Amino acid sequence: MNLSGVLFFPVTPFDSEGALAADVLAEHIGRNMEHGPGGVFVACGTGEFSALSQAEHTRAVEVAVKTVQGAVPVLAGAGGPLGAALEQARAARAAGADGLLLMPPYLMLGSRAGFAEYVRAVAAELPVIVYQRGALVLEPDAVVELARIPGVIGLKDGLGDIDRFQRTVLAVRREIGPDFTFFNGLPTAELTMPAYRGLGVELYSSAVFAFAPEIATAYFNGGELSERLLTEFYAPLVELRGKGPGYAVALVKAGLRLRGLDVGPVRAPLSDLAPEHEAELGALIERGLALVSA
């Protein structure tokens, strides 16, 4: 699977009744496709995966596949209890998705062998990128073991343990080869990309791309502007993200609303931004856009 450039994680819009707004999701993805993402990851963390019903998850994947029209790979979130993960995987396959981002199982991780069997079962349905985050902390040899499972094609790192991740990359490259995909999946990944590039990892997920693709693309293109964006946009954005639990998703939805696309609120247990924080976000977006257009 050819993933390159900036990876796009769309939000899941909700209407005034709290239902999935499929037409807004199509508009959201369509607008951002004009900025050339290297892959679309629908109904994942930014898409409030854990708050969606199975029917909503399936519909979101269908909309993404139809909107993208094969221009880039479309991957869907999957995870939780094995039965739920398999149902999501099969529905995503039927909808035409190219692969899955596999979230850690809910609450119970079990043994290393048990987790490998969990991954094996889901990867039998569609190619899988395993998402390492939260309680799921994988040793390098465990990642090598997972990489040997047919259908397991990559690892998204949401931990940020640079020492562990370097050893993991080296072990997989030595034992498996160069085709296994690694990418930085930390919130506001641009801030840590200089470190990940030092490990030989170029791919990353970009929350900013979802609401300000002009800024995300300008950062990706490199040069002096990237350094200014890190200092004047991304670093303050990370500070703002830390002012409330769940703000990693709420910031993205607020950013989209500020830019004229009504994607609705986040779902409980997440909460939307406090008014003063939304104003702060608006000022940051204006600053970032001004830097890009200067």
Side-chain angles (χ1 to χ4, degrees):
M1 185 183 300
N2 183 26
L3 293 171
S4 61
V6 181
L7 303 181
F8 171 31
F9 284 65
V11 304
T12 300
F14 302 121
D15 63 22
S16 59
E17 303 295 321
L20 187 149
D23 56 338
V24 182
L25 176 58
E27 182 178 358
H28 173 37
I29 295 174
R31 285 185 183 183
N32 285 57
M33 286 300 296
E34 296 176 3
H35 295 270
V40 176
F41 288 69
V42 64
C44 294
T46 304
E48 297 180 80
F49 165 80
S50 62
L52 302 180
S53 69
Q54 178 58 49
E56 290 171 329
H57 180 280
T58 300
R59 182 65 180 133
V61 179
E62 290 172 344
V63 169
V65 170
K66 182 178 179 180
T67 306
V68 172
Q69 296 184 1
V72 296
V74 174
L75 290 90
L82 180 57
L86 289 173
E87 189 173 356
Q88 292 151 1
R90 290 163 184 161
R93 184 184 63 195
D98 299 289
L100 304 167
L101 180 64
L102 186 58
M103 315 288 183
Y106 176 67
L107 288 181
M108 188 177 297
L109 287 175
S111 67
R112 174 168 154 176
F115 180 67
E117 287 307 307
Y118 174 90
V119 173
R120 187 185 307 276
V122 180
E125 304 295 334
L126 273 176
V128 158
I129 294 174
V130 176
Y131 191 1
Q132 173 178 243
R133 62 173 293 175
L136 181 62
V137 180
L138 298 167
E139 293 297 328
D141 60 340
V143 178
V144 170
E145 181 181 335
L146 292 175
R148 295 190 191 281
I149 296 173
V152 176
I153 62 170
L155 179 72
K156 176 182 180 181
D157 182 52
L159 295 179
D161 184 334
I162 296 298
D163 175 87
R164 181 190 302 273
F165 202 58
Q166 176 70 95
R167 290 184 288 113
T168 298
V169 171
L170 292 173
V172 172
R173 295 287 181 251
R174 181 181 64 246
E175 300 294 331
I176 305 299
D179 294 333
F180 191 81
T181 298
F182 291 101
F183 70 91
N184 176 2
L186 290 174
T188 320
E190 286 90 342
L191 194 68
T192 53
M193 273 313 295
Y196 278 82
R197 288 194 178 102
L199 309 182
V201 175
E202 295 289 338
L203 276 177
Y204 61 96
S205 56
S206 175
V208 171
F209 187 89
F211 66 89
E214 308 93 330
I215 297 172
T217 302
Y219 170 81
F220 176 78
N221 288 337
E224 182 181 344
L225 179 55
S226 292
E227 295 299 319
R228 292 196 65 188
L229 286 170
L230 281 179
T231 301
E232 300 179 41
F233 175 78
Y234 284 103
L237 184 67
V238 170
E239 292 178 10
L240 177 58
R241 193 190 70 219
K243 293 183 179 181
Y247 268 18
V249 176
L251 277 170
V252 180
K253 280 200 157 177
L256 280 160
R257 292 193 301 270
L258 285 166
R259 302 205 67 200
L261 187 63
D262 185 4
V263 294
V266 294
R267 271 186 179 168
L270 298 181
S271 299
D272 286 308
L273 301 189
E276 64 271 22
H277 295 156
E278 186 158 333
E280 189 175 341
L281 176 62
L284 266 179
I285 292 173
E286 289 182 8
R287 177 57 178 159
L289 292 173
L291 286 169
V292 169
S293 62

